[in-house]
Amino acid sequence: ITHTEFNIRDVLERCTKILKPKASDKGINIKLKIEKNIPECTKNDPRRLQQVLINLLGNALKFSPNNSVIQLRAYLHEA
């Protein structure tokens, strides 16, 4: 695991872009909503985050009915 500074918005956008063709084949619309309180940069492992998100979105595509909507929403939960 590497900890580097990266733009989390870029990772989220890349994940949805990667899976849009597969979603389009099923008539599924992937929507990305990034709340304003998400920071531009964070320090973590961007590759691992991308792997996890692609796996989750891939499962959502696999188990969602045709002509539906999948929404990936990023927000910062403040305790």
Side-chain angles (χ1 to χ4, degrees):
I1 295 177
T2 61
H3 287 83
T4 58
E5 204 167 288
F6 67 98
N7 187 323
I8 193 165
R9 294 167 189 266
D10 290 344
V11 172
L12 294 166
E13 289 169 0
R14 190 175 322 120
C15 290
T16 56
K17 186 177 180 181
I18 288 169
L19 291 172
K20 278 202 180 201
K22 186 176 181 180
S24 181
D25 290 346
K26 287 185 72 176
I28 295 175
N29 187 9
I30 298 178
K31 292 186 176 185
L32 174 61
K33 180 167 176 66
I34 303 173
E35 299 291 333
K36 291 179 183 175
N37 66 349
I38 293 290
E40 286 267 336
C41 290
T42 188
K43 192 171 186 177
N44 211 317
D45 188 334
R47 259 181 67 177
R48 298 258 186 209
L49 176 60
Q50 182 172 318
Q51 285 177 330
V52 168
L53 291 172
I54 287 177
N55 285 338
L56 289 171
L57 286 170
N59 284 338
L61 282 172
K62 187 177 189 179
F63 296 108
S64 294
N66 291 353
N67 303 313
S68 58
V69 176
I70 295 172
Q71 184 174 16
L72 175 59
R73 181 174 169 232
Y75 65 96
L76 185 61
H77 178 74
E78 297 181 27

